[in-house]
Amino acid sequence: MFERYRRLGIALMLMLGLLGCQRPDDAPKPQYGAAPAGVAGAPHYVFSIHPLHNPQLLHQKFEPTLKYLSREIPDAEFDLETSNDYADFEQKLRKSGPHFALPNPYHAALARDWGYHVIAKMGNDALFRGIFVVRKDSPLIKPADLKGKKVAYPAPTALAAAMMPQLFLQKNGVDVATDLQNLYVGTHNSSIMNAYLGQSDASATWPVAWTAFQKANPTEAADLKVIWQTPTLIQNAVIVRQDVPAKVANRVAELLVGLKDNDEGRTLLAEMDTDSYVLASDQDFEVVRTFLKEFNTLVKKQVP
């Protein structure tokens, strides 16, 4: 037994001696860097997308475009950021967190006070409207039939899917504050499912989310129908933080606008549920501030 331990001790001393003789340059060294391997030194820009869909679906729809931007702008990398809900997304903008964002028009109009400006927007403003979804066996005919009933929305600040529908109802004889039970359920998909499950008498959303729901849930969608729709406004914006270099911001806008001009770009646009991006500015979103004055006067009953 003693001989066994003696041999082990000798072997251990030999190993320690070999390690001690290894030159420092031969030892592996950890690698550190601010950017992933392959793009060391390239600045990373966080691109935040408002909760159009659940985070997994947002990644599926928008990650390919951010990879495209990273490829076409060699000295920059773009990282997709999602949010749990609209309140979470708004808080990030208020703190001037993400470098770029795709907000709804409501947040686009407000974001200039938080250190952002508009550089582009999605095309096809005709898609930006609110719609009301109900079960096909619903007895509802006119908006006034909703009095005393439940209406689901994604969030209070979902412009197309809450604020525009509420102004629509207010103008059609329904006092949103006193005649309804308003349910804010987090996402467009949850809003639609509330109608399907009978947890709300009607649910508000917008055409893009409704189309996505029909594709993903054809069985449930077959039991639902769109009963009313609101007037249109202006599409979702692309905004950039004021401290992002103008060269980078302008190139991002240029690339997004150019997507419609090539096959790869048109595929990316289809994934993002739009047919184009166009250049835009803060001035284009003054129509949202006009809307908000009317909304605050009629729905919130505040003096603008």
Side-chain angles (χ1 to χ4, degrees), residues 5-20:
Y5 282 115
R6 188 179 70 83
R7 289 198 301 268
L8 286 173
I10 293 171
L12 179 60
M13 286 188 289
L14 287 172
M15 289 176 63
L16 291 173
L18 288 172
L19 288 173

Side-chain angles (χ1 to χ4, degrees), residues 115-172:
Y116 293 89
H117 65 274
V118 174
I119 56 173
K121 73 175 188 68
M122 286 180 163
N124 198 353
D125 289 343
L127 281 177
F128 201 87
R129 64 171 73 237
I131 59 175
F132 291 86
V133 175
V134 299
R135 290 191 60 88
K136 285 186 175 178
D137 57 2
S138 170
L140 298 174
I141 298 175
K142 58 186 184 299
D145 294 337
L146 273 176
K147 289 184 177 181
K149 301 188 183 300
K150 298 177 182 178
V151 180
Y153 319 86
T157 55
L159 182 58
M163 301 173 79
M164 291 168 67
Q166 288 177 345
L167 183 59
F168 171 86
L169 292 175
Q170 199 77 34
K171 288 183 171 182
N172 282 275

